[in-house]
Amino acid sequence: MNIPQPLIEKLRSARSVAVLTGAGVSAESGIPTFRDSQNSLWAKYRPEELASPAAFQRDPRLVWEWYDWRLQLVNQASPNPAHAALAEMEARIPDFRLITQNVDGLHQRAGSQNVVELHGSLRRARCTQEQCTFEHSSLIEDQLPTCSNCGALLRPDVVWFGETLPAAALAAAVEAAHSCEVFFSVGTSGMVEPAASLPYEALRRGAVVVEVNPLPTPLAVYTPYSFAAPAGVFLPELVRAVWPD
Ligand code: OAD
């Protein structure tokens, strides 16, 4: 992949870099994405039937079984070279912020330390009454999981359609987009707000924006650095080009 020298030099000297990732960064780990493949996560059900408060109200077991199916997929998967490259970038760049829409925890398993989870995590459950959270590693059994404090039903600690994002995570993501010198958008269709606006916020503040996605997205026309490549191929090449030592 030909990586323009100006981008290499910009990254080599950058002090502050932000990265937004979506499901595409986990595609090479074998995790289906949402929208761009026939074996998508939503092949059997429409998303509103699963990832919404109404769906959980209507059939909490169906919703828990879907998320646990995804958790099993993730537990059987490994981080791929894209995740590893992002963990290396974090080690090399003084102020590196990784913002993810993914709930699979693969960035952390690849060694990324400081991950902003905009949409929550499959690895956590949250009390439907008190909002306290618990680690969720085992799959649900006969009884649906309940809060050890108050006995209320637990739910997956992920953002559902129609819900607001965790305020602290969103604030951190916006601050990163506003203060970075280089903003990467990796493996996201850019269809879901407010995450989709982050690259444009960075552009507005004068950052260099880089997109990595095999398919074109609306962002591509706003930057000369839109690379039609799998993240697991492009990001390791970029890291080797910027830090050849
Ligand atoms: P999508 O499935 O909408 O988009 C995945 C993107 O990854 C597509 O644009 C693909 O072209 C791209 N892609 C596929 N393979 C890739 C690879 N190897 N390297 C790089 N890119 C690749 O997933 P998201 O954009 O993450 O939200 O979806 C955003 C949100 O929509 C999700 O977080 C979820 C969903 O509703 C919630 O559940 C709240």
Side-chain angles (χ1 to χ4, degrees):
M1 188 99 207
N2 171 36
I3 301 172
Q5 195 58 31
L7 177 60
I8 291 172
E9 283 159 18
K10 178 73 180 174
L11 271 173
R12 210 170 270 159
S13 64
R15 298 194 51 73
S16 171
V17 171
V19 179
L20 170 69
T21 63
V25 82
S26 297
E28 291 157 270
S29 297
I31 307 291
T33 59
F34 290 95
R35 295 181 180 81
D36 74 324
S37 55
Q38 63 283 2
N39 72 332
S40 85
L41 283 170
W42 296 335
K44 279 185 13 185
Y45 297 95
R46 284 185 317 105
E48 291 74 13
E49 289 173 289
L50 290 168
S52 72
F56 189 72
Q57 191 78 30
R58 189 170 50 245
D59 189 343
R61 174 164 293 283
L62 173 68
V63 173
W64 264 117
E65 285 172 355
W66 184 58
Y67 279 96
D68 270 1
W69 169 67
R70 292 176 62 185
L71 183 59
Q72 279 184 303
L73 277 182
V74 168
N75 287 342
Q76 289 153 13
S78 304
N80 68 66
H83 296 109
L86 290 168
E88 178 158 0
M89 286 172 72
E90 181 179 46
R92 298 254 191 191
I93 296 168
D95 171 17
F96 182 87
R97 260 80 62 87
L98 177 56
I99 304 146
T100 189
Q101 300 172 90
N102 301 340
V103 296
D104 59 31
L106 288 177
H107 286 303
Q108 292 91 330
R109 282 173 54 193
S112 290
Q113 304 292 314
N114 174 13
V115 181
V116 175
E117 292 180 319
L118 277 183
H119 292 163
S121 171
L122 289 173
R123 302 181 176 288
R124 282 193 308 272
R126 189 169 84 228
C127 175
T128 50
Q129 294 306 315
E130 295 175 334
Q131 305 307 311
C132 45
T133 58
F134 303 86
E135 189 196 344
H136 177 66
S137 51
S138 59
L139 305 182
I140 59 162
E141 292 151 6
D142 301 344
Q143 296 301 318
L144 291 180
T146 54
C147 175
S148 52
N149 298 337
C150 71
L153 190 56
L154 295 184
R155 54 164 281 181
D157 188 25
V158 298
V159 175
W160 282 336
F161 285 100
E163 292 188 319
T164 54
L165 273 59
L170 182 55
V174 171
E175 199 285 324
H178 285 176
S179 59
C180 66
E181 296 164 71
V182 184
F183 187 98
F184 284 78
S185 179
V186 181
T188 180
S189 58
M191 305 273 280
V192 174
E193 293 295 354
S197 295
L198 292 170
Y200 300 95
E201 284 297 306
L203 271 175
R204 209 162 52 83
R205 297 293 181 99
V208 168
V209 168
V210 182
E211 178 172 50
V212 184
N213 191 326
L215 299 179
T217 76
L219 182 63
V221 299
Y222 291 94
T223 171
Y225 298 131
S226 180
F227 299 97
V233 172
F234 178 79
L235 290 176
E237 279 189 31
L238 180 75
V239 166
R240 278 195 298 275
V242 177
W243 298 284
D245 50 13

